[in-house]
């Protein structure tokens, strides 16, 4: 693209480094900002910088937090003996939104993926094992996505924990509530039949 | 959404004000920035601010520019008597990329759209009329999109200019080069037949 302004070109190039934002989209967003009051760009730029510079990660669960230990980990009304292992903080937010989980979390920060150069040592796995060693953990729930990488990560952690006397579980896979069976993929439909639950249990949830 | 950090929440809210960016997308982009070196966020924030604060609009054609008069308007090798009227600077970039136009531009900054509260006085129309009065303009090319708003804007400007001895034209509408006829919409196909050109002319272009 042939920009008539170096300032605009530089901003487009910076913006287009964000995942899923191409140069055309970046240009559209920037032209929008140019039409808005200066304050909007000012607030945006400052909130980005402040977030990046000041945000902390909970030293217990690695969730994002403004303080040393996040609200969830410091909440004494939650069951600290049940730990839900997730990939990133979006998963924490998604599960919290359901209102169905009263334990605590452990954010790995990714999945084991040799193709992307991510090994176990780059993830927050050691601190999870320490937590199991140090405190009275009863159950670990694996809530990673069911991909090759997710399964590999689950299994790696499972092996690390197999000498401890704890329960391990994974979230249920099945047909989404409200979905038509005929459109479900075979693997999911198959698993939902194999892992069927007593009918009475389905009456309880929600 | 339930954020565990006010800093993150504020950044998401600011980012989600950009057109086409929802809160989920904003969160995804911000989590990406958190995983990257601090410099990336720093460069992005600074380039946004600097662009918004320092960018100028060419005082002749209203194109974006780092100087008072843009490169195109100050280029003496271009024909200053042929003016192509466009909606915004993306159109200038698109036409410049074709390499087929050697005149100058006039950027309106939008289209007349009563629904959006945009009247002729909010657009750069008066300066176009002044330019026609003051200098020896030979031809005005309308290159707005062929929508109701585009047509209204074209016609409004056409009326303002009808007492001057200048040629007015609009860009050709027709079937895209390389497109199959059977998939073209009726209006475009119809226009391309009504406004057919001598066969020899088609041999010249590109």
């Amino acid at each position: 693209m042939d920009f008539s302004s170096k300032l605009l070109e530089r901003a487009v190039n910076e913006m287009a480094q964000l995942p899923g934002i191409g140069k055309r989209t970046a240009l559209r967003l920037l032209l929008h900002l140019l039409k808005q009051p200066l304050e909007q760009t000012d607030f945006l730029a400052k909130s980005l910088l402040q977030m990046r510079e000041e945000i902390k990660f909970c030293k217990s669960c690695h969730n994002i937090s403004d303080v040393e230990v996040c609200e969830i980990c410091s909440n004494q009304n939650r069951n600290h003996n049940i730990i839900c292992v997730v990939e990133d903080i979006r998963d924490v937010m998604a599960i919290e939104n359901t209102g169905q989980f009263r334990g605590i979390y452990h954010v790995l920060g990714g999945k084991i993926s040799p193709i992307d150069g991510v090994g176990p040592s780059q993830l927050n796995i050691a601190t999870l094992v320490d937590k199991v060693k140090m405190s009275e953990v009863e159950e670990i729930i694996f809530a990673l996505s069911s991909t090759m990488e997710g399964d590999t990560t689950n299994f790696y952690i499972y092996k690390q924990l197999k000498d401890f006397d704890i329960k391990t579980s994974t979230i249920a896979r099945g047909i989404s509530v409200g979905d038509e069976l005929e459109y479900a993929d075979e693997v999911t439909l198959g698993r939902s039949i194999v892992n069927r639950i007593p009918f009475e249990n389905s009456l309880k949830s929600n």
Side-chain angles (χ1 to χ4, degrees), chain A:
Chain A
M1 278 193 279
D2 181 29
F3 294 95
S4 47
S5 155
K6 289 275 166 225
L7 292 167
L8 181 65
E9 184 171 7
R10 224 185 61 196
V12 165
N13 287 338
E14 287 295 333
M15 199 118 187
Q17 288 189 32
L18 294 172
I21 306 279
K23 289 201 175 185
R24 273 168 194 273
T25 306
L27 181 61
R28 184 170 57 79
L29 298 177
L30 294 172
L31 290 181
H32 172 82
L33 283 178
L34 283 174
K35 284 184 187 168
Q36 301 299 310
L38 175 59
E39 286 71 36
Q40 187 174 339
T41 309
D42 200 42
F43 287 150
L44 174 62
K46 282 184 186 150
S47 67
L48 287 177
L49 263 183
Q50 209 189 354
M51 177 203 75
R52 185 65 184 81
E53 282 170 356
E54 297 179 17
I55 221 162
K56 291 183 185 69
F57 293 89
C58 170
K59 62 180 185 179
S60 174
C61 74
H62 310 285
N63 188 10
I64 275 173
S65 170
D66 293 343
V67 284
E68 291 249 301
V69 175
C70 77
E71 279 177 30
I72 296 172
C73 286
S74 58
N75 183 345
Q76 288 308 318
N77 290 323
R78 300 188 71 123
N79 185 344
H80 287 236
N81 298 331
I82 301 183
I83 301 180
C84 181
V85 177
V86 295
E87 192 185 328
D88 75 18
I89 75 138
R90 277 178 292 177
D91 304 322
V92 174
M93 289 170 58
I95 297 175
E96 281 298 287
N97 280 340
T98 69
Q100 298 283 333
F101 181 63
R102 299 298 300 164
I104 59 171
Y105 296 92
H106 191 88
V107 180
L108 295 177
K111 289 174 290 195
I112 294 174
S113 172
I115 291 176
D116 302 318
V118 181
S121 59
Q122 276 121 301
L123 303 176
N124 302 317
I125 292 177
T127 49
L128 176 65
V129 177
D130 284 348
K131 224 187 276 182
V132 173
K133 262 183 217 164
M134 305 299 193
S135 58
E136 293 167 358
V137 176
E138 291 164 7
E139 180 174 357
I140 297 279
I141 304 171
F142 292 113
L144 303 196
S145 53
S146 60
T147 57
M148 175 91 89
E149 288 86 6
D151 290 346
T152 307
T153 312
N154 285 343
F155 194 66
Y156 180 88
I157 298 173
Y158 175 77
K159 279 194 300 179
Q160 304 281 308
L161 298 177
K162 74 175 186 311
D163 295 336
F164 299 94
D165 179 27
I166 52 169
K167 219 162 80 180
T168 50
S169 59
T170 82
I171 54 170
R173 309 290 175 182
I175 307 300
S176 293
V177 177
D179 260 16
E180 306 275 3
L181 252 64
E182 57 182 321
Y183 300 123
D185 68 286
E186 290 168 23
V187 179
T188 305
L189 186 56
R191 282 219 216 171
S192 77
I193 291 175
V194 172
N195 301 322
R196 61 194 177 280
I197 59 164
F199 182 68
E200 302 80 47
N201 292 12
S202 71
L203 301 176
K204 277 180 242 163
S205 51
N206 282 316

